[in-house]
Amino acid sequence: MKIDYLPLMDVTAMHADEISQAVERVVRGGWYLKGVATKRFEEEYARYIGTRHCIGVANGLDALTLILRAYMEMDLLHEGDEVIVPANTFIASVLAITENRLKPVFVEPRIDTFLIDDELLEQAITDRTRALMLVHLYGRCAYTPRVEQLCHQHSLLLIEDNAQAHGCRYQQAGREHMTGSLGHAAGHSFYPGKNLGALGDAGAVTTDDDRLAEAVRSIANYGSSKKYVFDYAGRNSRIDELQAAVLSIKLRYLDADNARRQQIANRYIDGVRNPSLIMPQKSESVWHIFPVLSADRDRLQRYLADNGVATAIHYPIPPHRQACYRQWSHLSLPVTERIHREELSLPCHQAMTDAQVELVIELLNSFS
């Protein structure tokens, strides 16, 4: 039953030859920032997502931070305004809010989806609420008709955190939309372990808003839209040519890679029958993370490790319990806290073989 070693993810196995060739072209070309590779990837990714604009930036946190900063420069957000955010998200979603001196308002997720509970949104809206940061956590679309209705009703900016959901789709009125095109703007992370991962840190902002796109691009380039002319007190946050070239290669395979993840996830859901584990539901998720809940998580993790299967916890401590946010440590968020206490992420990536998937299922069904 034991596997020699199954990593949680495999960032080296796929498309290595094409990636090496793309990197070599950049190295030999001698142009490493703001060149043809960046322009190509921005155009390709905007077309793939379905937005007019894509601005490559240094990482996913910067993408979200820059969106909020741009809205402040556009006079649509002001210091102290409230931004609703799921309580169980990765801390980057919250850091982007507090970095801009905005106030995060934490809303509990649903236990069956791990996504923000849209039935709790309206009671979180106050006269200071200006935006909703919708996180497509673990690769599953968090957008719903209720989210759309409330954002329209209360004139809220809808900002998508699409760091974990590259290629995820949402069906509406017979049409298919990509996450990253559903709100006013979206932040994307291309951290190496993501479904669309670079060979280092990289990120992007997508939007249909011409004014926002111009502001984000300028702020990310020291505040400049024209050399040595600075409209904003900006920062340095630009994707480099090497990462853009790598991402263009990987983008070609994203849908096929996601389809393999979906196949593995469905096999897990169909095959695991251990009543002590709470499995996710089948969905259109791109399964950046395949999460299970176990009241005996730590022992389950040790058991899988002893049998050669690597796992991870996403995430052991929720944002409101982190030392940097001690001002919110008094909050009672029981669903969030349960998820963070019981969640364990299983391997679910396109490099896995069918035999490895079946062995993981066998191990889970044998756990007691």
Side-chain angles (χ1 to χ4, degrees):
M1 184 186 298
K2 186 174 180 179
I3 299 169
D4 287 339
Y5 181 68
L6 174 59
L8 179 70
M9 57 187 66
D10 190 339
V11 298
T12 62
M14 312 303 288
H15 326 307
D17 290 342
E18 289 178 79
I19 288 169
S20 296
Q21 292 166 17
V23 169
E24 184 176 1
R25 284 193 294 271
V26 173
V27 172
R28 291 185 181 279
W31 192 284
Y32 306 122
L33 281 171
K34 299 177 68 176
V36 294
T38 295
K39 185 174 187 296
R40 181 188 307 116
F41 174 69
E42 289 179 338
E43 291 173 350
E44 290 170 347
Y45 196 61
R47 187 162 55 248
Y48 178 81
I49 293 296
T51 55
R52 283 204 300 273
H53 302 282
C54 169
I55 305 97
V57 298
N59 54 68
L61 172 57
D62 278 8
L64 295 173
T65 303
L66 286 161
I67 290 168
L68 294 171
R69 167 72 189 281
Y71 278 132
M72 296 182 82
E73 296 287 355
M74 293 163 63
D75 206 33
L76 296 176
L77 287 175
H78 303 90
E79 186 173 328
D81 283 347
E82 294 175 355
V83 179
I84 293 172
V85 65
N88 63 316
T89 187
F90 180 57
I91 200 168
S93 312
V94 189
L95 289 171
I97 297 169
T98 58
E99 170 77 10
N100 284 287
R101 298 188 178 181
L102 301 164
K103 180 182 176 182
V105 175
F106 298 104
V107 171
E108 287 266 65
R110 287 175 44 166
I111 195 67
D112 59 336
T113 65
F114 302 160
L115 301 176
I116 197 166
D117 189 339
D118 60 6
E119 293 299 318
L120 301 179
L121 284 176
E122 189 160 27
Q123 66 193 55
I125 297 171
T126 74
D127 58 3
R128 294 302 307 274
T129 307
R130 297 292 180 269
L132 165 61
M133 185 174 289
L134 193 67
V135 183
H136 304 302
L137 198 66
Y138 302 159
R140 184 170 184 164
C141 180
Y143 190 80
T144 67
R146 181 68 170 154
V147 166
E148 180 180 35
Q149 174 202 343
L150 288 172
C151 287
H152 178 75
Q153 179 182 338
H154 295 276
S155 300
L156 302 181
L157 294 167
L158 179 58
I159 300 159
E160 297 173 78
D161 181 340
N162 201 50
Q164 300 186 7
H166 316 104
C168 187
R169 291 164 166 81
Y170 174 75
Q171 300 286 339
Q172 183 181 49
R175 293 187 58 201
E176 191 173 73
H177 305 266
M178 288 284 190
T179 57
S181 69
L182 299 169
H184 296 96
H188 307 254
S189 167
F190 306 123
Y191 176 80
K194 298 298 173 66
N195 293 36
L196 182 60
L199 299 187
D201 266 327
V205 172
T206 55
T207 184
D208 281 330
D209 187 326
D210 298 342
R211 186 180 170 208
L212 177 72
E214 182 180 358
V216 167
R217 193 177 292 281
S218 294
I219 295 166
N221 187 38
Y222 300 98
S224 173
S225 56
K226 181 180 179 182
K227 195 167 185 178
Y228 301 134
V229 177
F230 301 94
D231 302 311
Y232 309 100
R235 61 198 298 169
N236 177 13
S237 180
R238 299 172 297 192
I239 195 171
D240 66 64
E241 288 285 281
L242 288 169
Q243 305 306 339
V246 169
L247 290 167
S248 281
I249 297 297
K250 288 195 169 186
L251 183 59
R252 300 173 193 169
Y253 299 99
L254 179 59
D255 287 343
D257 290 346
N258 284 343
R260 175 57 178 160
R261 288 174 181 260
Q262 179 84 65
Q263 187 181 53
I264 293 167
N266 287 344
R267 183 69 197 101
Y268 278 155
I269 294 166
D270 289 338
V272 176
R273 290 289 177 262
N274 190 328
S276 72
L277 304 178
I278 297 178
M279 303 291 289
Q281 301 171 340
K282 287 186 178 180
S283 72
E284 293 302 313
S285 174
V286 293
W287 300 105
H288 170 61
I289 299 297
F290 188 93
V292 300
L293 296 184
S294 171
D296 203 2
R297 178 189 60 198
D298 294 344
R299 191 168 66 85
L300 174 61
Q301 186 173 41
R302 288 193 300 270
Y303 162 77
L304 290 172
D306 288 344
N307 285 279
V309 178
T311 59
I313 297 169
H314 293 89
Y315 304 95
I317 305 172
H320 73 287
R321 297 294 193 197
Q322 297 287 352
C324 63
Y325 289 136
R326 59 179 60 88
Q327 66 267 43
W328 292 298
S329 63
H330 65 282
L331 295 176
S332 176
L333 298 165
V335 178
T336 291
E337 289 157 17
R338 179 186 174 189
I339 290 171
H340 286 256
R341 186 172 61 248
E342 297 186 3
E343 191 275 343
L344 188 68
S345 302
L346 303 180
C348 184
H349 54 83
Q350 60 271 22
M352 290 177 68
T353 66
D354 289 345
Q356 288 172 328
V357 175
E358 295 305 318
L359 282 168
V360 173
I361 292 170
E362 185 180 345
L363 286 168
L364 292 171
N365 283 333
S366 300
F367 177 71
S368 61

